[in-house]
Amino acid sequence: MLANAVTAVSDFLWGWPLIIILFGTHIFMTIRTGFIQKDVFKAIKLSVTPDKGATGNVSQFGALTTALSSTIGTGNIVGVGTAIALGGPGAVLWMWITGLLGMATKYSETIIAVKYRVKGEKGDMIGGAMYALDRRLHMKWLGVIFAVLALLASFGIGCTVQANAIVANVTAAIPAMSPLLVAGILAVMVALVIIGGIQSITRVAEKLVPIMAVFYVAGCIAILVMNHAYLGATVATIVKAAFTVRAAGGGFIGSTIMMAARYGTARGLFSNESGMGSAPLVAAAAQTRNPKRQALVSMTGTFWDTVVICLMTGLVLVSCVLRHPAIDATSGNGANLTAQSFGSIPYIGTPILILGLISFAFSTILGWYYYGERCLVYLFGEQVIFLYKIFWIIGVIVGSLMELNLVWSASELLNGLMAIPNIVAVLLLSAEIAKDTKKYKGKHIDDVDDTEIPIVKNAKRGVLHIPMEDPNHTDW
């Protein structure tokens, strides 16, 4: 009963309420930033160009891949299948539009996270929505709410459910493997990475994320080549279904424009996390000369996640259904649709799906660990980090071996709720974001150095408050 209740609330929140809030913010910030998406290719170049001499703990590329490690997850595969199963093929186009517009919100939330970051006693850069709310808007209470929601969500969507997905896929592929053994191996692998903190996580992310993304996209391209005779019909079906009422039949569940828009937009928002405030938590640690530079780099995460990877998945699924009408696309089961579609491709389909799910889920565990850690530091100080690592590893083991329907629903609900205080910060500071965007216009982005960052002390005392009247104030 509790699981059903939480699921009902989560489904409601991720329906029209969050679609209106997040999608509306995407459109608004696109206008306010002067369609910042036009700079995406410059941003991609910046993401692989080190900002030498800048202040920060990790490279801009390291921060980007760490953020991508959490956003590129099972939602890019099973989530796309769910959107198509419930909203029809037109959901793919709405998901893609959401990603394109969402780049402006990812840019906006990052620019304020970097601008209002602080330096801890140990030299670590710390930032995120809670610091913008606290330092700039003097809304400490809302910053605390965001941090608590993100911390709780990290154990759900970022830890237990991802570990469960890994064990389920490994044991399905290799029935002789014991779930307990897989859980133990996974826990050791996670522990070896997180014990070294953000530097260790980014080193792994810099290597793992590009490899897994290229492998998955290459696999999708191979499938599309095999389905090349259906590509024209696939694109036509997606575009037509996005804007017309579609009757039941033709291999897909009957859907309307509203259904395609709802499920495509909701899955897109959930997949790329634009507006949730998660990615800025790691972006604030990046070595960057000014906030706009890192904000541009961060917005490419939404581009890769949704505009590229989700689109590739959508094209594969729709083309497979058109090629194999026997695939069940009418039950509304996204996981089943995904499994059947990839499974319909001989030799390479199922391995691509399984390896994609495992690698995406593992990287998500690492990325969300850091998100949770930053929120914990904001709430309680750095002295609790070691204890948090222990609980995280325990969460990996427990999550691997339990049924997690309630945890999954609760995690989706927490993800939706944490977006609200983050969006409040973005909208209240939208004029400032627009001003800062214009500040660097017409100049080489490296010509402006805004690296003055206040140092905070006495972290163990808890939540920070640094009045804007005295940006170098160091009390808590």
Side-chain angles (χ1 to χ4, degrees), residues 91-254:
V92 176
L93 181 59
W94 285 105
M95 188 179 300
W96 188 83
I97 293 172
T98 300
L100 184 65
L101 293 174
M103 292 166 64
T105 302
K106 183 66 69 70
Y107 166 87
S108 301
E109 62 186 358
T110 302
I111 203 170
I112 58 176
V114 175
K115 183 175 183 178
Y116 295 108
R117 64 182 177 173
V118 299
K119 184 182 291 187
E121 288 182 286
K122 297 181 180 179
D124 292 338
M125 293 296 174
I126 313 169
M130 57 278 202
Y131 292 91
L133 288 164
D134 195 333
R135 290 185 61 197
R136 178 64 181 89
L137 296 171
H138 306 297
M139 300 171 71
K140 182 193 302 185
W141 61 274
L142 195 54
V144 171
I145 290 175
F146 171 83
V148 169
L149 290 171
L151 176 61
L152 293 175
S154 70
F155 275 99
I157 198 67
C159 181
T160 53
V161 298
Q162 303 299 331
N164 193 275
I166 291 174
V167 172
N169 279 281
V170 171
T171 53
I174 312 174
M177 290 285 284
S178 162
L180 183 60
L181 176 61
V182 178
I185 295 172
L186 177 61
V188 171
M189 292 174 63
V190 171
L192 290 174
V193 178
I194 68 174
I195 200 71
I198 182 60
Q199 284 78 15
S200 177
I201 293 172
T202 53
R203 281 197 299 270
V204 173
E206 284 177 336
K207 295 176 176 63
L208 176 62
V209 171
I211 292 174
M212 72 180 194
V214 169
F215 168 79
Y216 181 73
V217 171
C220 289
I221 291 174
I223 292 175
L224 292 175
V225 169
M226 297 174 71
N227 291 347
H228 68 277
Y230 297 85
L231 285 183
T234 296
V235 175
T237 299
I238 289 172
V239 174
K240 183 178 179 181
F243 300 106
T244 59
V245 176
R246 185 180 179 87
F252 290 102
I253 191 170

Side-chain angles (χ1 to χ4, degrees), residues 65 68-74 76-77 162 165-167 169-170 186 189 204-205 207-217 309 351-367:
T65 53
L68 277 172
S69 71
S70 65
T71 54
I72 298 179
T74 54
N76 294 82
I77 304 177
Q162 303 299 331
I166 291 174
V167 172
N169 279 281
V170 171
L186 177 61
M189 292 174 63
V204 173
K207 295 176 176 63
L208 176 62
V209 171
I211 292 174
M212 72 180 194
V214 169
F215 168 79
Y216 181 73
V217 171
I309 295 180
I352 290 171
L353 174 62
I354 293 175
L355 290 175
L357 285 171
I358 292 173
S359 60
F360 287 3
F362 179 71
S363 69
T364 299
I365 292 175
L366 302 181

Side-chain angles (χ1 to χ4, degrees), residues 29-30 32-37 39 43 101-114 274-275 280 290-300 302 426 432-440 445:
M29 294 313 301
T30 293
R32 286 295 264 164
T33 59
F35 200 78
I36 195 67
Q37 293 91 330
D39 294 329
L101 293 174
M103 292 166 64
T105 302
K106 183 66 69 70
Y107 166 87
S108 301
E109 62 186 358
T110 302
I111 203 170
I112 58 176
V114 175
S274 293
N290 53 66
K292 182 179 179 179
R293 199 182 200 278
Q294 181 57 36
L296 285 170
V297 171
S298 291
M299 85 174 185
T300 65
T302 300
V426 169
E432 187 173 310
I433 293 167
K435 181 180 178 181
D436 288 343
T437 300
K438 293 178 181 178
K439 177 180 178 180
Y440 304 97
I445 198 164

